[in-house]
Each structure stands twice: as structure tokens, then as C-alpha cells.
């Protein structure tokens, strides 16, 4: 299981942030609906609580590079997409983090 913010599985996510309301992000290719709680690792948690968007984006970008070979255009799109999603998420509002139930996905 990976952190929904940075995309890393090490450290594993141990926190869960529920959204106050659902939101939709539209791109040229797709419409993404976000309603489920976000799994979050120990490192991202304080960044999420303090809404430190740029630090989260930097971590997310590194997580992506570890996992996939993306060309420059794809990386740019990923960064743009992450930024849009996290900004929308912060606008929608997050509840206080609760410990993630083991065994849920
Ligand atoms: Zn994380």
C-alpha cells in the first residue's frame, strides 16, 4: 500500500484523512472523482496538516520517478495534476487524521 500523497510505500501509510466533501478534477483526458479517505505516511502527515503544498508536490514527484519512467511531458502533466488535486483537496477540506485501520486498502 502506498501513501496517497507522495506515492511511496516506504514508510507505509499509517494515517487516514477523510475529506469534508467530495470533489471532481477534470483534465483533457478524464474526469476524476475524489471521495474516499486518503492514506498518508508519517512524513506527509505534518505537510498535509499544514497545507505545505509545494513540499508534498516535491515528495510526490520523487515517488513517481521511483515507480515509473516518465518523459518530460508526462512528468509535467503529473505535477500539474497533483497540484490541481491537492489544491482541490485542501479547498474541499480535510478532517483530522485518524490511524489507518490495518488490512484496509
Ligand atoms: Zn507520503
Amino acid at each position: 500500500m502506498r501513501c496517497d500523497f507522495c506515492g511511496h510505500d516506504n514508510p507505509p501509510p499509517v494515517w487516514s484523512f477523510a475529506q469534508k466533501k467530495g470533489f471532481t478534477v477534470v483534465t483533457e483526458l478524464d474526469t476524476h472523482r475524489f471521495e474516499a479517505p486518503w492514506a498518508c505516511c508519517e512524513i506527509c502527515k505534518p505537510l498535509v496538516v499544514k497545507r505545505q503544498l509545494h513540499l508534498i508536490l516535491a515528495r510526490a514527484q520523487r515517488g513517481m520517478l521511483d515507480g515509473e519512467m516518465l518523459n518530460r511531458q508526462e512528468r509535467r502533466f503529473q505535477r500539474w495534476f497533483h497540484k490541481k488535486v491537492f489544491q482541490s483537496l485542501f479547498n474541499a477540506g480535510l478532517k483530522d487524521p485518524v490511524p489507518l485501520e490495518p488490512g484496509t486498502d
Side-chain angles (χ1 to χ4, degrees):
M1 188 175 183
R2 288 175 177 272
C3 172
D4 287 329
F5 292 92
C6 67
H8 293 83
D9 57 3
N10 184 27
V14 283
W15 295 97
S16 175
F17 282 90
Q19 299 174 198
K20 289 188 177 157
K21 55 183 193 231
F23 65 93
T24 304
V25 173
V26 181
T27 72
E28 281 177 22
L29 303 171
D30 265 314
T31 299
H32 301 263
R33 180 73 188 163
F34 295 88
E35 284 175 350
W38 292 63
C40 182
C41 71
E42 201 65 67
I43 297 171
C44 290
K45 183 191 168 210
L47 307 182
V48 173
V49 168
K50 292 183 201 152
R51 309 279 196 264
Q52 290 177 312
L53 183 62
H54 285 95
L55 294 177
I56 298 171
L57 285 172
R59 279 186 60 72
Q61 208 65 8
R62 271 194 307 253
M64 281 291 144
L65 294 181
D66 288 347
E68 304 168 53
M69 291 298 288
L70 297 178
N71 67 33
R72 222 163 125 189
Q73 200 184 352
E74 288 166 332
R75 279 208 300 271
R76 225 180 8 234
F77 175 81
Q78 280 295 349
R79 189 179 170 83
W80 171 85
F81 181 69
H82 279 140
K83 192 172 174 184
K84 203 168 163 74
V85 168
F86 295 149
Q87 272 172 343
S88 306
L89 178 62
F90 291 156
N91 288 339
L94 287 169
K95 297 181 184 168
D96 288 337
V98 295
L100 195 66
E101 296 289 328
T104 54
D105 197 62

